[in-house]
Each structure stands twice: as C-alpha cells, then as structure tokens.
Amino acid sequence: DSLSGEAKIRVINIEGTNDAPVVIFSGMRVVEYPCDASLDSFAESRHVPSLTEGRCGTLIEIPPLYADEDVLLHISAVSIEDVDADELTDDAYFNVKLSTLYGVLQVADAIPGVLILESTNTLLSLQGSLNSINQALETLTYLNREENWFGTDELTVYVNDNGFTGSDNIALNDTKSVLIHVRSVPDDPI
C-alpha cells in the first residue's frame, strides 16, 4: 500500500531591503503562480493562505517524508537560509521552532552555539547562529510518540531572524510544513 501527497504552500513575494529567512526542504520546488489563477486546484491543501486580490505569488511544493512506525527517522532534509546573512554580527541569533502533531523531535545536544530553549513531546525550540542552527538541523530526528502509531503527521518549521538581518532591524520570519507518512509495520508474533 503506497502513500502519496504533497504539502503545497502559496507565498506572496514582496521585495525590499530586508529579506526574510527561508525554511528550505530538500526537493522543495517553487512554481510561479499566475495572478489570474484560481485556488480551486489547491482545495486539498491546508497551506494556501488567502491573498489580496490582484497579488501574485509562488506555489511551493514539498515532497513528503516517509517513516516506518516505531523506527527513528533522520530528517536531514531541512535547513534555514537568509540572503542577508552576510550582514550578521557575532551576537546575532535566530529562533527556530519545530513542531509535529504525533512525533517527538530531537537534535544532538552538543552543537556549539545552539541553545535548546524547549523540548516537549511535540515541540522543539532552538536559538543560535544561522550556521549553528543548520548544524543542529542536520541531526534532526523524528519518532512517533505512541507505540504502533501510524498515519500522517506534519512537521512545521518556523524561523525568526530577530531583526538581526537587513537594514531596518525588523524581525522577519518564515514557516513551512512537510507531511510525514508513517507506515504500519507488522509486529513480531508473540
């Protein structure tokens, strides 16, 4: 039995002197979205915000992740980028929150420059430099928290640059989500 699906996010592009950080997933595809196109074709997506009439944007398609129930999934497919990063000072830090509905998220404890602000069953909150955060995200793991649980979960990643990038010191952020399909695995007979 095969699972399929894609998370689709519609983003409005606004250009300026302060660019927001961006959550990047491996395999993410950005498609130009025509101004006169209808949202009807995206009715199944939960990630399509409303747009002001006449505004154009892009459609972001993120391929889902797959895991087997009760097996640790290594998620090295997420990172953070910020085109203003060359303007960062040594004291600049980013905040990143990762959340799921049914899974436990963890990163390695010993990443220099990363503080784990919160770690609960469904939330992981990190703070650190852009490079340190990306090093931590390379060690990200997911495990369904209830034994024998299978189904579809969603990993949401939120990043805030705390106003350390760009010329106007305004904090900007980005949020993206990816589906995680957790497959059922037969249990060993007793």
Side-chain angles (χ1 to χ4, degrees):
D1 194 20
S2 117
L3 299 171
S4 65
E6 287 186 346
K8 295 183 180 183
I9 303 170
R10 188 171 178 192
V11 177
I12 299 172
N13 291 329
I14 301 173
E15 298 197 21
T17 58
N18 188 4
D19 293 303
V22 179
V23 176
I24 303 292
F25 283 100
S26 293
M28 186 170 78
R29 194 169 66 107
V30 179
V31 180
E32 292 299 318
Y33 194 83
C35 292
D36 60 350
S38 166
L39 289 179
D40 292 343
S41 61
F42 306 111
E44 294 179 10
S45 174
R46 298 180 315 189
H47 303 285
V48 182
S50 61
L51 293 178
T52 305
E53 190 173 335
R55 298 292 303 256
C56 303
T58 56
L59 178 69
I60 298 175
E61 296 178 342
I62 302 171
L65 302 174
Y66 294 90
D68 291 331
E69 73 179 53
D70 305 326
V71 177
L72 191 69
L73 173 65
H74 294 272
I75 305 175
S76 60
V78 62
S79 63
I80 308 298
E81 292 183 5
D82 194 322
V83 296
D84 300 323
D86 61 331
E87 303 167 10
L88 293 175
T89 60
D90 290 340
D91 61 344
Y93 60 89
F94 287 71
N95 284 71
V96 175
K97 290 183 181 180
L98 303 105
S99 62
T100 62
L101 301 171
Y102 306 106
V104 177
L105 299 167
Q106 293 184 321
V107 293
D109 289 334
I111 303 292
V114 173
L115 295 173
I116 298 176
L117 301 177
E118 187 172 0
S119 181
T120 65
N121 279 342
T122 60
L123 176 69
L124 179 61
S125 181
L126 309 172
Q127 185 179 75
S129 70
L130 184 62
N131 288 336
S132 296
I133 290 288
N134 280 328
Q135 288 175 3
L137 291 175
E138 289 175 7
T139 70
L140 181 63
T141 60
Y142 167 94
L143 183 64
N144 51 294
R145 69 175 187 265
E146 291 183 28
E147 187 176 357
N148 295 321
W149 180 86
F150 61 92
T152 300
D153 201 347
E154 183 174 36
L155 167 63
T156 300
V157 181
Y158 166 87
V159 60
N160 185 320
D161 69 6
N162 296 301
F164 285 107
T165 62
S167 60
D168 52 12
N169 297 325
I170 296 173
L172 297 174
N173 59 70
D174 186 32
T175 303
K176 290 195 178 69
S177 298
V178 63
L179 297 177
I180 301 174
H181 295 299
V182 180
R183 299 175 285 232
S184 174
V185 175
D187 294 326
D188 291 333
I190 297 178

